[in-house]
């Protein structure tokens, strides 16, 4: 590999005349004198552009001798691709003209200017001029080496040279400059590019750009001179560029960027204008490299000027429908407030939007300023210029190849012939964006026509893929490892329909679901949804998750129909049919009470509330939901509210009967700049409609549960009513000792008939670097409770020998005798019936019922959402402030998954 050289070797041969040789009296008459730029086998050194003048540095005698030759012939040697005539056209030498050193030197310069030759020479012998050239090689291929931060697809478009083109040094230098500039735009000012060639046969070369990327040039320090009213820290906080620090990876933008430097000057001006400093200016902004050439030090010199207040602020309208005095009175700007350019900008936008609501699409609101330097006040007049009321001439939809026109047009809140309404246009844009079928940032375009009172609305969409195939694997503190897969098409057949299938497998649950949604049934504003599903859930003991308490398999389906009530609200009716199968380990929890071979669930072993739900049952549920949604984003809202009120009735057939009501409400605000504050509240109540002797009117599987992940700071089902079965042992002296260690007792959460849960959360904005990583930290407070369940029938096995039992009496109560009671085959019950030998012994225990309280539980904490390379990740660090006896707390919880 040979480094590329600059300049060109040029040779000039001057043959003195024979007469000159006679005058000299030597034998040199017939020998040509040749000046070579390089010797055979020795690589020429690059020549500076002034080397071409060396031909003029010959002795005057030689110049005079050459001056007398007349060109007889001109021949060309060494050409491969070019025609000799082409080379002759580049020089000014012509037969019949005198041959001079000046003419030869000019010919050399002309050949050099073509950049077609790596070597060239001109010789003259008795008027016969010979031009010898070595053509530049042809580029075989271009290779990039050493580029890791910028891939080939980013660099190659900047390279103008290409394979099969003629290699020229000037073009190589230009390409090197472009590559270095590309790295500078990435903040790598120490990047170097070394071009080299690899010689090949047939006068071809491989051109190699060896790139040394170097580190990113960061901003080591930002200095501000001239700021008296605001500290350096305050002003640096307004800038996009940040200083390099230990935590700079969170803020980002620490690399030097000249464009960002100019933007920061604008940000400083905007900040001062919001504080009343209308004369503020940045005198200079200088970026200097540190001595090691790796980082930058930026210095701003600013001039703050005087601070101004608002003087007279008024609205003047040339549109007769608008009363300027009334609009003036409605302004929030008051005389005496510190001048704020952002307030003026917002007011102009509000007045323009107001005019748009009344059909004045092209209303022009212009602020006019009058500065009073003596009083340091600024008078502002907001002038609404005259404009015609505009009507919609037509609506055009363009760019949709798959999606049918009607899918887009039905989202328009305005029709052809309607008066223009900016609010309706904004809502249309939001609704089309919420479909998720088209490119981000879509906006309805407003096109003026030849008529001043007519406008055309254009929906120029760019479709994006709407099919989704997802495979996920993850780990959570609840389910341990989990795997899921789904396939979904959100714009099925271009009709806006959604069809999908999903499946999930985890440690405690397996599920499969099929779904279909038609948003506009029979082209009417009525939505239809269908679901078919099966779910297997293993309910484990809270303190021993390897011990399964019962298994519930639910197979069913649902259908729902929704109709809009207003622009933001709708009513959804649904019907759900479920077939539930609840089973437990029969070998562990079943007994044959009457000796007829039929074994049944024994409450002494499995507890009464679990035995109540064992078996098969059908649930037939009618539902009605009211939904209000004005959120600006479904996935990450920053403003708006959402309300969902639901009523379910189970009992239209089936085996269970209850009424259940649930409500959810949430609201989002953008506060203190980019902070996002949210409040949410939810609650529910279920009332059984069937009175069954011996058990609660609501089954365990139908009650509410509360804990992780809904209630941070508490474990799964960690809040609310629960039964603890505590073993009793001998303390070594014959006295009973009750075990209260939560890891050694059996703990079952039995749910509640009522609950409430409130959340307050403040999401903290971070710099662009953290946003690029997908980090979204937040502080939160959770408040809630689960309660209102009948006290279950508690059972005990007395100390010291526990109990033995075999069958039940007429009321279903177990007949048992103490183990030391001497039960034999002739033991009889109260009716004189003989009892066979007792077949089960239960060690001493006692049951305790805890947690049935509506008192609030409160937790506070810090959490982080992270769109990690492994998938969505959420971690919460919580501290419980208030809890009730029996609640299970949990400090750390997390959930992570990945897609591949």
């Amino acid at each position: 590999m040979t480094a590329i050289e600059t300049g060109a070797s040029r040779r000039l041969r001057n043959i003195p005349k024979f007469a000159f040789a006679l005058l000299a009296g030597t034998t040199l008459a017939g020998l040509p004198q040749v000046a070579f730029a390089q010797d055979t086998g020795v690589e020429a050194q690059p020549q500076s552009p002034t080397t071409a003048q060396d031909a003029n540095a010959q002795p005057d005698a030689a110049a005079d001798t050459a001056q007398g030759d007349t060109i007889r012939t001109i021949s060309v040697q060494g050409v491969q691709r070019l025609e000799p005539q082409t080379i002759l056209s580049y020089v000014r030498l012509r037969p019949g003209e005198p041959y001079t050193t000046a003419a030869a030197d000019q010919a050399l310069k002309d050949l050099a200017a073509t950049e077609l030759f790596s070597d060239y020479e001109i010789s003259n012998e008795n008027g016969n001029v010979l031009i010898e050239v070595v053509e530049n090689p042809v580029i075989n291929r271009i290779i990039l080496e050493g580029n890791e931060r910028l891939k080939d697809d980013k660099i190659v478009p900047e390279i103008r040279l290409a394979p099969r083109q003629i290699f020229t040094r000037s073009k190589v230098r230009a390409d090197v400059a472009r590559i270095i500039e590309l790295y500078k735009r990435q903040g790598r000012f120490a990047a170097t590019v070394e071009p080299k060639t690899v010689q090949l046969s047939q006068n071809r070369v491989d051109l190699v750009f060896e790139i040394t990327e170097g580190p990113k040039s960061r901003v080591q320090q930002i200095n501000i001179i001239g700021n008296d009213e605001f500290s350096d820290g305050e002003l640096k906080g307004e800038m996009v560029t940040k200083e390099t620090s230990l935590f700079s990876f969170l803020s980002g933008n620490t690399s030097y960027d000249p464009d960002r430097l100019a933007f920061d000057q604008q940000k400083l001006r905007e900040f001062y204008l919001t504080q009343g400093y209308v004369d503020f200016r940045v005198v200079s902004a200088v970026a200097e490299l540190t001595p090691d050439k790796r980082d930058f030090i930026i210095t701003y010199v600013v001039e703050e000027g005087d601070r101004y207040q608002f003087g007279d602020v008024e609205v003047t309208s040339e549109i007769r429908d608008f009363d300027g005095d009334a609009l003036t009175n409605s302004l929030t700007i008051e005389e005496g407030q510190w001048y704020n350019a952002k307030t003026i900008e917002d007011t102009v936008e509000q007045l323009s939007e107001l005019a748009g609501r009344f059909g004045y699409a092209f209303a022009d609101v212009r602020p006019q300023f009058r500065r009073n330097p003596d009083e340091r006040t600024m008078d502002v007049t907001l002038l609404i210029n005259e404009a015609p009321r505009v009507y919609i001439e037509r609506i055009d939809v363009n760019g949709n190849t798959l999606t049918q026109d009607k899918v887009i047009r039905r989202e328009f809140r305005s029709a052809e012939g309607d008066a223009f309404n900016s609010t309706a246009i904004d809502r249309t844009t939001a609704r089309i964006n919420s479909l998720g079928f088209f490119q981000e940032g879509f906006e309805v375009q407003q096109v003026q026509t030849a008529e001043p009172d007519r406008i055309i609305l254009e929906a120029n969409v760019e479709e994006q893929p709407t099919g989704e195939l997802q495979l996920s694997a993850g780990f959570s503190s609840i389910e341990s490892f989990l795997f899921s897969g789904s396939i979904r098409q959100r714009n099925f057949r271009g009709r806006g329909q959604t069809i999908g299938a999903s499946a999930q497998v985890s440690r405690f649950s397996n599920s499969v679901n099929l779904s279909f949604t038609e948003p506009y049934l029979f082209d009417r504003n009525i939505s239809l949804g269908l679901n078919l599903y099966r779910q297997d859930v293993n309910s484990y003991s809270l303190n021993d998750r390897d011990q399964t308490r019962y298994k519930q398999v639910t197979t069913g389906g649902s259908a729902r129909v929704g109709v809009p009530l207003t622009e933001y609200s709708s009513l959804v009716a649904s019907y759900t049919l479920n077939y539930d199968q609840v089973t437990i380990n029969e070998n562990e929890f079943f007994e044959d009470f009457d000796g007829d071979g039929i074994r049944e669930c024994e409450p002494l072993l499995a507890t009464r509330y679990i035995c109540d739900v064992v078996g098969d049952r059908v649930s037939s549920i009618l539902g009605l939901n009211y939904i209000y949604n004005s959120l600006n984003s479904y996935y990450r809202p920053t403003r708006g509210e959402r309300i969902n009120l639901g009523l379910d009735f189970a009992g239209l057939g089936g085996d269970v009967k209850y009424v259940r009501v649930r409500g959810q409400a949430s609201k989002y605000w953008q506060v203190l700049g980019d902070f996002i504050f949210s409040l949410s509240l939810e609650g529910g109540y279920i009332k059984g409609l069937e009175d069954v002797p011996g058990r609660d009117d609501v089954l365990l599987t139908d009650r509410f549960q509360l804990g992780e992940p809904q209630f941070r700071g508490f474990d799964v089902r960690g809040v609310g009513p629960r039964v603890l079965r505590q073993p009793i042992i001998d303390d070594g002296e014959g006295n009973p000792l009750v075990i209260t260690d939560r890891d050694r007792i059996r703990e079952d959460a039995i749910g509640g008939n009522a609950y409430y849960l409130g959340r307050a959360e403040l999401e903290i904005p971070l710099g662009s670097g953290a946003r690029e990583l997908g980090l979204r930290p937040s502080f939160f407070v959770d408040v809630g409770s689960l309660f209102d369940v009948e006290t279950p029938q508690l059972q005990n096995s007395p100390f010291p020998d526990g109990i033995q039992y075999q069958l039940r009496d007429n009321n279903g109560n177990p007949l048992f005798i103490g183990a030391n009671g001497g039960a034999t085959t002739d033991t009889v019950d109260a009716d004189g019936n003989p009892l066979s030998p007792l077949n089960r012994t239960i060690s001493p225990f006692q049951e305790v019922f805890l947690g049935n309280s509506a008192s609030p539980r409160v937790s506070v904490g810090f959490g982080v959402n992270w769109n990690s390379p492994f998938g969505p990740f959420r971690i919460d660090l919580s501290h419980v402030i208030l809890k009730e006896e029996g609640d299970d707390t949990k400090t750390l919880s997390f959930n992570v998954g990945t897609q591949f």
Side-chain angles (χ1 to χ4, degrees):
M1 186 179 293
T2 304
I4 297 175
E5 301 170 359
T6 60
S9 299
R10 286 165 288 184
R11 306 175 181 180
L12 178 61
R13 297 182 179 181
N14 292 317
I15 312 299
K17 294 184 178 179
F18 188 72
F20 179 80
L22 292 177
L23 293 174
T26 68
T27 59
L28 300 176
L31 299 178
Q33 297 178 356
V34 184
F36 288 97
Q38 64 182 36
D39 296 329
T40 303
V42 180
E43 190 173 26
Q45 296 299 317
Q47 299 179 2
S48 66
T50 60
T51 307
Q53 302 300 327
D54 293 344
N56 297 326
Q58 303 294 330
D60 293 341
D64 293 340
T65 302
Q67 187 74 22
D69 289 341
T70 299
I71 301 174
R72 298 170 58 191
T73 63
I74 303 176
S75 58
V76 178
Q77 289 185 1
V79 292
Q80 293 179 333
R81 298 180 301 274
L82 298 173
E83 294 293 332
Q85 193 62 35
T86 301
I87 296 178
L88 291 177
S89 68
Y90 293 143
V91 300
R92 304 175 188 178
L93 300 176
R94 296 291 182 270
E97 296 181 358
Y99 178 85
T100 65
T101 54
D105 188 56
Q106 182 61 45
L108 289 174
K109 294 178 180 179
D110 293 338
L111 291 175
T114 65
E115 295 189 343
L116 296 175
F117 312 106
S118 60
D119 198 6
Y120 40 88
E121 62 183 54
I122 299 177
S123 62
N124 174 30
E125 187 171 356
N126 298 326
N128 297 315
V129 177
L130 176 63
I131 301 176
E132 296 181 73
V133 297
V134 178
E135 294 181 356
N136 273 338
V138 173
I139 298 174
N140 178 58
R141 58 176 177 162
I142 297 176
I143 303 171
L144 300 176
E145 292 183 354
N147 56 307
E148 296 180 358
R149 299 294 181 178
L150 287 179
K151 300 305 180 184
D152 289 7
D153 60 342
K154 301 293 185 183
I155 300 177
V156 170
E158 299 293 325
I159 299 176
R160 298 293 182 262
L161 286 170
R164 295 185 296 279
Q165 288 186 359
I166 302 299
F167 173 91
T168 63
R169 293 176 176 85
S170 62
K171 291 183 179 179
V172 171
R173 288 194 296 269
D175 285 341
V176 167
R178 276 189 286 268
I179 295 174
I180 290 177
E181 182 61 29
L182 188 63
Y183 273 97
K184 285 182 178 180
R185 291 201 296 267
Q186 299 295 320
R188 299 183 183 276
F189 284 78
T192 60
V193 180
E194 181 71 20
K196 294 185 177 181
T197 59
V198 178
Q199 298 294 331
L200 303 175
S201 60
Q202 300 178 349
N203 199 22
R204 296 174 301 127
V205 294
D206 284 342
L207 176 57
V208 181
F209 291 101
E210 289 189 351
I211 301 172
T212 303
E213 295 180 317
K216 256 192 173 182
S217 299
R218 300 187 178 277
V219 177
Q220 186 182 95
Q221 185 177 343
I222 298 176
N223 300 318
I224 304 175
I225 301 174
N227 53 311
D228 297 326
E229 300 298 331
F230 300 98
S231 66
D232 287 4
E234 289 179 284
L235 298 182
K236 290 177 184 178
E238 297 297 323
M239 299 179 187
V240 176
T241 304
K242 304 298 180 183
E243 293 176 329
T244 302
S245 65
L246 182 63
F247 300 100
S248 58
F249 73 96
L250 292 176
S251 60
N253 293 334
T254 58
S255 60
Y256 173 72
D257 186 341
D259 295 335
R260 197 182 297 140
L261 185 67
F263 183 70
D264 284 336
Q265 296 179 58
Q266 181 63 28
K267 293 287 288 184
L268 285 175
R269 175 161 177 78
E270 289 177 359
F271 171 72
Y272 271 93
L273 285 176
T274 61
Q275 303 299 319
Y277 294 89
V278 298
D279 296 324
F280 171 83
R281 67 189 185 99
V282 178
V283 178
S284 66
V286 179
E288 298 175 297
L289 273 171
T290 55
D292 59 6
K293 305 297 183 182
R294 294 172 62 92
D295 296 325
F296 280 87
I297 297 176
I298 301 176
T299 302
Y300 293 95
V301 178
V302 301
E303 186 177 293
E304 293 179 325
D306 295 328
R307 193 177 191 186
Y308 278 68
Q309 295 175 318
F310 278 115
D312 295 331
V313 181
E314 62 179 354
V315 178
T316 302
S317 175
E318 296 181 355
I319 300 177
R320 63 181 182 180
D321 292 341
F322 292 168
D323 185 349
D325 293 337
L327 292 174
T328 299
N329 293 331
S330 66
L331 295 179
T332 58
I333 304 174
E334 295 182 2
E335 184 178 353
Q337 292 179 344
W338 291 115
Y339 175 82
N340 189 325
K342 183 65 168 57
T343 302
I344 297 296
E345 182 181 334
D346 292 342
T347 304
V348 169
E349 184 177 345
Q350 292 169 5
L351 292 174
S352 298
E353 183 179 347
L354 178 64
R357 292 177 187 174
F358 287 90
Y360 297 95
F362 308 116
D364 182 19
V365 181
R366 295 189 180 184
Q368 299 176 344
F369 303 95
R370 293 183 303 276
R371 184 181 305 189
N372 305 309
D374 295 337
E375 293 81 10
R376 294 180 184 175
T377 60
M378 182 75 74
D379 297 337
V380 181
T381 299
L382 299 169
L383 175 61
I384 305 178
N385 291 311
E386 186 176 1
R389 178 167 287 174
V390 177
Y391 295 87
I392 300 172
E393 181 175 294
R394 70 175 187 270
I395 297 174
D396 293 339
V397 177
N398 306 311
N400 53 313
T401 56
L402 171 66
T403 307
Q404 297 181 6
D405 267 22
K406 66 178 183 180
V407 174
I408 303 173
R409 289 183 178 275
R410 66 195 183 194
E411 301 300 330
F412 272 81
R413 303 295 95 181
S414 298
E416 294 174 346
D418 287 353
F420 177 86
N421 187 311
S422 60
T423 303
I425 302 302
D426 292 342
R427 181 58 181 165
T428 298
T429 298
R431 289 181 66 92
I432 294 178
N433 277 321
S434 66
L435 294 175
F437 303 161
F438 311 110
Q439 82 281 8
E440 293 185 4
F442 163 82
E443 290 186 0
V444 175
Q445 303 296 321
Q446 305 166 23
V447 181
Q448 286 185 275
T449 66
E451 300 294 332
D453 61 345
R454 294 289 184 269
I455 194 172
I456 297 174
L457 300 182
E458 287 188 354
N460 298 312
V461 300
E462 180 182 337
E463 291 180 321
Q464 60 183 6
T466 54
E468 299 173 0
L469 176 62
Q470 176 177 301
L471 298 175
S472 301
F475 183 84
S476 75
S477 55
I478 305 175
E479 296 273 9
S480 297
F481 286 99
L482 55 92
F483 304 90
S484 66
S486 65
I487 183 171
R488 186 172 67 151
Q489 173 55 255
R490 294 182 290 107
N491 190 13
F492 185 57
R493 299 185 300 165
R495 297 172 176 267
Q497 300 168 338
T498 300
I499 185 171
S502 64
Q504 178 173 306
V505 178
S506 66
R507 181 181 179 186
F508 300 113
S509 64
N510 304 318
S511 64
V512 62
N513 182 65
L514 302 175
S515 62
F516 172 78
T517 301
E518 168 57 74
Y520 279 77
L521 186 63
F522 305 125
D523 291 330
R524 296 181 177 274
N525 200 0
I526 300 174
S527 63
L528 172 68
L530 300 173
N531 284 80
L532 295 175
Y533 48 83
R534 176 185 172 94
Q535 185 175 27
D536 300 354
V537 178
N538 292 326
S539 179
Y540 48 81
S541 177
L542 291 179
N543 57 325
D544 185 1
R545 298 186 180 181
D546 291 326
Q547 179 184 358
T548 299
R549 302 292 289 128
Y550 64 87
K551 179 178 181 180
Q552 181 178 359
V553 178
T554 301
T555 305
S558 65
R560 61 190 180 278
V561 176
V563 293
L565 300 178
T566 67
E567 179 63 28
Y568 297 99
S569 63
S570 59
L571 198 64
V572 179
S574 63
Y575 175 73
T576 302
L577 184 65
N578 288 335
Y579 175 59
D580 293 307
Q581 299 169 284
V582 181
T583 59
I584 60 175
N585 188 331
E586 294 188 5
N587 293 328
E588 184 177 357
F589 301 113
F590 272 45
E591 274 295 342
D592 179 5
F593 298 130
D594 52 13
D596 59 1
I598 300 176
R599 307 178 71 221
E600 298 181 22
C601 181
E602 171 50 55
L604 279 171
L605 302 175
T607 68
R608 168 73 67 184
Y609 41 87
I610 290 182
C611 286
D612 288 341
V613 298
V614 171
D616 300 345
R617 62 182 52 83
V618 173
S619 300
S620 177
I621 308 169
L622 288 173
L624 189 64
N625 284 71
Y626 169 79
I627 301 173
Y628 176 86
N629 189 348
S630 64
L631 298 179
N632 64 335
S633 172
Y634 178 80
Y635 298 101
R636 191 188 174 192
T638 59
R639 65 177 182 274
E641 52 272 342
R642 189 178 193 277
I643 300 172
N644 189 343
L645 302 176
L647 172 66
D648 293 328
F649 168 73
L652 188 66
D655 303 312
V656 295
K657 294 179 174 57
Y658 62 77
V659 173
R660 178 174 57 200
V661 293
R662 296 188 68 173
Q664 295 175 313
S666 56
K667 186 173 178 60
Y668 294 81
W669 298 267
Q670 196 160 351
V671 298
L672 301 176
D674 293 330
F675 286 84
I676 299 172
F677 180 67
S678 62
L679 284 176
S680 63
L681 179 66
E682 63 176 282
Y685 180 75
I686 184 170
K687 172 64 177 175
L689 302 179
E690 186 176 17
D691 188 10
V692 179
R695 72 168 175 85
D696 193 357
D697 55 0
V698 178
L699 295 175
L700 169 65
T701 51
D702 293 325
R703 296 175 190 153
F704 300 111
Q705 299 284 353
L706 191 59
E708 187 186 3
Q710 311 103 302
F711 200 160
R712 292 161 291 193
F714 292 89
D715 206 344
V716 180
R717 296 179 290 177
V719 177
R722 64 203 52 242
V723 173
L724 279 60
R725 178 169 287 193
Q726 302 169 327
I728 304 176
I729 62 173
D730 193 322
D731 65 354
E733 298 180 357
N735 300 316
L737 177 64
V738 178
I739 301 298
T740 58
D741 184 355
R742 299 291 282 267
D743 293 331
R744 298 176 60 185
I745 65 178
R746 192 175 77 187
E747 178 180 350
D748 293 318
I750 64 174
N753 295 334
Y755 86 101
Y756 64 86
L757 178 62
R759 305 183 189 92
E761 191 157 3
L762 181 66
E763 185 176 311
I764 307 167
L766 297 178
S768 61
R771 287 198 300 269
E772 291 172 2
L773 291 175
L775 290 173
R776 292 190 290 117
S778 62
F779 292 100
F780 62 84
V781 177
D782 289 356
V783 180
S785 184
L786 179 71
F787 55 98
D788 191 38
V789 66
E790 292 185 10
T791 302
Q793 181 179 351
L794 301 178
Q795 301 176 92
N796 297 280
S797 174
F799 180 82
D801 298 315
I803 56 174
Q804 289 182 318
Y805 69 95
Q806 182 191 19
L807 49 79
R808 297 176 178 276
D809 60 21
N810 294 332
N811 295 323
N813 299 315
L815 297 174
F816 48 83
I817 301 177
N820 58 355
T824 62
T825 55
D826 58 357
T827 302
V828 296
D829 61 16
D831 299 327
N833 299 316
L835 298 175
S836 58
L838 303 176
N839 57 1
R840 182 73 69 99
T841 300
I842 302 177
S843 300
F845 70 86
Q846 72 175 21
E847 288 185 343
V848 179
F849 177 57
L850 300 172
N852 188 25
S853 170
S855 298
R857 283 77 158 174
V858 180
S859 68
V860 298
F862 176 78
V864 177
N865 277 313
W866 177 32
N867 292 330
S868 72
F870 311 102
F873 180 86
R874 171 77 190 189
I875 184 169
D876 290 300
L877 188 65
S878 310
H879 174 69
V880 174
I881 298 177
L882 293 177
K883 66 174 184 176
E884 292 294 314
E885 184 181 4
D887 292 342
D888 290 333
T889 62
K890 188 173 187 178
T891 302
L892 182 68
S893 62
F894 61 90
N895 185 32
V896 64
T898 187
Q899 298 180 3
F900 52 87

